[in-house]
Amino acid sequence: FGKTVTPAEALDIFLEYVKVYEQSWRLFPHVLDVLAELTSKHIPLGIITNGPGIPQRKKLKDLKLQPFFQEHLIIISEEVGFYKPSAEIFLKAQSSAQAKPENILYIGDLFSHDVEPARKLNWNALLIKLRLTPDAINKLIPEPKPHLLTKLSI
């Protein structure tokens, strides 16, 4: 932008960005209720997430999600060396869960990074798009259509 900044100014700008970014973290409505219900039924829950470990774990803690997931089922790309949509990160999660593909339900919000790779491994997959109408989703998602969740409640 034609402006020179000192390293100290750059750090201040970065720290302000991180602060605003972290303040923007939000859960879909009813997520905590749904996770509590699933946990009460002793259904093991896991996460596959791309990104660096420290901020991803901070996000889990700050959003009060950590208690719902067993540590060995939190699969973070930076920590395992594979990133979605690669099959390897999904296979790492499956191995950690000691589960058969047909017994896994993977829920994600990106068709290309969540649903498509899960389906390739014969997992059940559910696309969650709470901010789009079913008509808009139908235009965006190729055939065969995944199971689609547009409302979340218990």
Side-chain angles (χ1 to χ4, degrees):
F1 299 105
K3 182 177 182 204
T4 303
V5 295
T6 67
E9 291 170 324
L11 179 59
D12 287 345
I13 292 167
F14 174 73
L15 292 175
E16 182 62 24
Y17 165 79
V18 169
K19 179 180 163 188
V20 170
Y21 170 67
E22 290 176 354
Q23 290 171 348
S24 74
W25 293 340
R26 300 281 183 275
L27 294 175
F28 288 124
H30 309 293
V31 164
L32 294 177
D33 294 334
V34 170
L35 293 175
E37 179 71 16
L38 294 170
T39 303
S40 76
K41 296 179 184 302
H42 306 289
I43 296 172
L45 304 173
I47 292 177
I48 301 173
T49 184
N50 281 346
I54 291 172
Q56 296 296 59
R57 290 184 182 285
K58 183 176 184 345
K59 190 182 298 183
L60 290 173
K61 181 179 178 225
D62 289 358
L63 294 174
K64 299 178 179 22
L65 294 169
Q66 219 167 14
F68 298 107
F69 302 96
Q70 297 173 15
E71 179 60 31
H72 74 284
L73 297 179
I74 299 173
I75 310 299
I76 300 174
S77 59
E78 179 188 65
E79 296 173 0
V80 299
F82 304 109
Y83 293 79
K84 295 188 295 180
S86 75
E88 290 86 357
I89 195 166
F90 288 84
L91 291 170
K92 170 66 176 160
Q94 181 178 329
S95 173
S96 294
Q98 298 179 344
K100 295 178 182 175
E102 63 270 17
N103 293 332
I104 297 173
L105 171 61
Y106 186 81
I107 302 171
D109 65 346
L110 288 175
F111 183 82
S112 63
H113 281 61
D114 297 313
V115 172
E116 200 168 42
R119 280 180 165 180
K120 286 180 181 175
L121 295 172
N122 296 314
W123 292 14
N124 299 290
L126 178 65
L127 180 65
I128 184 167
K129 288 290 186 188
L130 301 183
R131 295 184 182 113
L132 292 176
T133 66
D135 287 341
I137 293 165
N138 281 331
K139 292 176 185 172
L140 294 172
I141 306 300
E143 296 292 340
K145 300 287 186 209
H147 295 289
L148 178 64
L149 184 66
T150 57
K151 289 185 180 179
L152 187 61
S153 62
I154 54 171

